[in-house]
Amino acid sequence: MSRQRQVDRARGPLRGCVAVPGDKSIAHRAVLFNAAGEGEATVRGLPGGRDVASSMSAMRTLGAAIEPIGPGAVRIGGRALVFDKRPATIDCENSGTTMRLLAGLLAG
């Protein structure tokens, strides 16, 4: 059965809020980029699972403050690209994405 809908032209600016489910690929980048950035950020909609947790753990090892503030939400204190110079081993666990993105971030 086909369902058709007609969408009319908006009569003014569109306003609202869209909530989408957490995406693992975007979550890795949100954690790494906000931890590398300057200032404080709140990231919501993080999916559960070990891969994204590995990215958060790696950034904590480098000195970033990452605190849970609710289900799927963290507050990240950015390091402005000034990381701990001699951290302990950075354990990416079984997360290839964490390893690849972190290697690129730290290579600079």
Side-chain angles (χ1 to χ4, degrees):
M1 177 181 276
S2 166
R3 294 177 64 178
Q4 295 182 357
R5 295 187 183 222
Q6 180 175 335
V7 178
D8 296 323
R9 180 178 289 239
R11 296 182 183 157
L14 297 176
R15 294 193 170 110
C17 181
V18 176
V20 296
D23 175 83
K24 186 171 71 166
S25 180
I26 292 171
H28 282 290
R29 288 157 176 82
V31 168
L32 268 62
F33 293 157
N34 281 295
E38 188 173 331
E40 188 176 276
T42 300
V43 179
R44 291 184 171 83
L46 295 172
R50 290 300 315 151
D51 277 4
V52 175
S54 293
S55 286
M56 288 190 280
S57 176
M59 295 314 290
R60 285 185 187 109
T61 299
L62 291 166
I66 303 176
E67 301 296 329
I69 57 172
V74 294
R75 184 170 294 118
I76 302 174
R79 299 286 302 193
L81 289 175
V82 179
F83 301 112
D84 290 349
K85 299 212 182 311
R86 294 190 181 269
T89 300
I90 300 171
D91 185 1
C92 296
E93 297 184 31
N94 198 32
S95 176
T97 301
T98 298
M99 187 276 307
R100 285 187 298 277
L101 294 176
L102 194 56
L105 178 67
L106 297 177

